[in-house]
Structure formats: C-alpha cells, structure tokens
Amino acid sequence: MRIDVLTLFPGMFEGPLSHSILARAREAGLLVVETHDLRQYAAGKHRVTDEPPFGGGGGMVMKPEPIFAGVESITAAHGPGRVILLSPSGARLSFEVAERLSKSDHLLLVCGRYEGVDQRVADHLADEEISIGDYVLSGGELPAMVLIDAVARFLPGVLGDPEAPRNDSFSAGVLEAPHYTRPRDFRGWTVPEVLLSGDHGAVEAWRKAEGERRTTRIRPDLLKENLPKKKLTDG
Ligand SMILES: C[S@@+](CC[C@H](N)C(=O)[O-])C[C@H]1O[C@@H](n2cnc3c(N)ncnc32)[C@H](O)[C@@H]1O
C-alpha cells in the first residue's frame, strides 16, 4: 500500500514511522509512506498557505489552491488514490473503517491546521473526511499517524500473526480478554488458573466470556451497536 501525506509539518512523521511495526512494514516494502510539504505547492514568494476567513472571525483558514495542487501533483506522479481529509467533522475512525481503507492501494491524507481547511477541499477534492474522535487537536498530523497505524495493522504480512487483527478488541464487536504473563504470582496477585491449565478449549471459552464481561462493564455501547449486525448474521 502507498500512503501520501500532505502536511505543513512533514518532520512530525519521522518518529512514528521509524519505529516498531510501521518501520518494519516499510522496510519489508509492505507499506510506502511519503510526506509532502504543502508549502512547496503554494504560489508566490511567501508561499502562503492560509488566509483569514471570509465573513470574519478569528484564526486562519487553509487555502484550497496549494491543497488541490499538491493532491494533483501526487496523483500525476503516483496514480490516483483515495483522498482523505482529516477533520473533526468527519466520520469516526473505527475498526471497520480502518479495515476498509486497508483494501485501497493508495491513500492521500490531507492534514489541516489553524481553524481548518477551506470547505471546497471537502466538497470537491476529498473522497471522505475522517475524525479520530470527538475532541479537537491542533492539526491533522497526529490523526493521520493514527490512521496510518490502524490501517497498516490490516495489511497482509505486517503483523507476525495474520490472525492478530481478528483477535484484537472491536473485531467481533467486543473488547478483548485481559492478558497475563510471568510471573504467575506478582505481589500476591495471581494469574487466573485456567490460563495455566493447558486446556485450549477452556482458555478460549474463558477469553470469550471475559471479553463479553469487560465489554458489558466498560463499553456497553458496543454491544448495543452490534446488536443489529448480530441479528443479521444470525439470520
Ligand atoms: C484546530 S483543528 C480545527 C478545528 C475546527 N475549527 C473545528 O472546530 O472543527 C485543525 C485541524 O486539525 C485536524 N484535526 C483536529 N482534530 C481532529 C480530529 N479529532 N480528527 C481528525 N482531524 C482533526 C484537522 O485537520 C483540522 O483541520
């Protein structure tokens, strides 16, 4: 998969992309991520990328021309891709959205800053707007990194165990069961006996029940959301 990122702050991506799973995915050629400095697509000596809002009000708004020029230049060089504008007004990023996006060959992520991005980008350039949650960050860079990480986990070969995403929280509409490792007894807090039993069936049943119990306690909304889906699959 190829992901191009249009941003005023390409340097912000260096750390997250050069560690752990994302670094290995890139080294293995499973994921190509290229950041593009939005300023290079801005016209004039001062390469202005933002202007005050029409209608007044505080803050600055990102101009459409450099963003359109950047996306068009990336598309000309690397072929068309799905254009995603990171925005608090977008649809919420979820397990399902990340899995769907992982099936694209090419994503182009547009990172906003300031008060946001001229609406014509959302209306006439972006294929979709995505939010990473109901809070406002200072820019689209951290949301883009979150999206890249969430999507990359679904790419074949990125995780050692290809079944791993299927066992993660949210995959079956519930949170996953708790994990334990050595020591068996830490300060008197012991590991559930069933995990030491060697009985794979019992472990599986315990994990399923624990996942459902935690979901009921911590995220009952997930169970409600998944009720219609479950009914459909149940026929
Ligand atoms: C300070 S925010 C703009 C917030 C905007 N004035 C509003 O109230 O919706 C600047 C940029 O950060 C990014 N951003 C902030 N919060 C986000 C979120 N929850 N999800 C995705 N992108 C976000 C977007 O690209 C946005 O254009």
Side-chain angles (χ1 to χ4, degrees):
M1 166 180 258
R2 178 180 179 89
I3 304 182
D4 288 287
V5 187
L6 203 49
T7 165
L8 283 170
F9 300 100
M12 284 182 72
F13 289 80
E14 282 162 20
L17 289 175
S18 11
H19 292 89
S20 185
I21 288 174
L22 289 182
R24 286 200 298 275
R26 292 172 63 221
E27 277 157 21
L30 302 169
L31 175 69
V32 174
V33 183
E34 195 175 332
T35 54
H36 305 263
D37 188 346
L38 181 63
R39 212 165 283 286
Q40 68 180 298
Y41 301 107
K45 197 171 95 189
H46 298 294
R47 299 196 175 272
V48 173
T49 55
D50 54 286
E51 298 267 11
F54 281 129
M60 301 294 266
V61 175
M62 288 179 70
K63 291 161 66 58
E65 308 96 304
I67 299 178
F68 273 76
V71 167
E72 284 157 6
S73 156
I74 294 165
T75 302
H78 301 291
R82 189 155 188 83
V83 180
I84 297 171
L85 174 63
L86 282 312
S87 161
S89 311
R92 186 95 60 87
L93 181 62
S94 64
F95 187 94
E96 287 81 13
V97 171
E99 186 174 28
R100 169 173 61 78
L101 294 178
S102 74
K103 305 214 164 86
S104 294
D105 295 331
H106 185 192
L107 302 178
L108 281 100
L109 309 183
V110 179
C111 304
R113 278 268 152 186
Y114 317 119
E115 278 308 308
V117 175
D118 186 288
Q119 182 60 31
R120 286 164 289 190
V121 171
D123 292 346
H124 305 292
L125 184 67
D127 294 302
E128 61 186 305
E129 290 179 81
I130 292 186
S131 162
I132 63 158
D134 292 347
Y135 41 82
V136 175
L137 297 161
S138 313
E141 288 76 15
L142 291 173
M145 290 179 225
V146 168
L147 188 150
I148 292 170
D149 193 307
V151 167
R153 294 176 64 80
F154 286 103
L155 298 179
V158 165
L159 298 182
D161 172 6
E163 281 304 304
R166 305 265 143 260
N167 298 326
D168 278 342
S169 291
F170 309 112
S171 62
V174 289
L175 304 176
E176 78 169 1
H179 298 288
Y180 294 90
T181 186
R182 291 185 188 125
R184 285 178 177 209
D185 185 330
F186 174 62
R187 298 185 177 180
W189 299 306
T190 52
V191 169
E193 275 302 318
V194 64
L195 298 179
L196 312 172
S197 67
D199 179 342
H200 296 302
V203 169
E204 210 38 57
W206 178 85
R207 286 191 171 141
K208 189 165 180 296
E210 277 302 298
E212 286 173 5
R213 204 176 58 79
R214 285 178 121 192
T215 312
T216 309
R217 185 166 51 88
I218 306 168
R219 293 289 308 275
D221 55 303
L222 287 177
L223 296 174
K224 278 193 209 115
E225 269 173 35
N226 285 297
L227 213 57
K229 272 189 224 159
K230 192 165 172 354
K231 275 195 187 136
L232 277 180
T233 35
D234 288 350

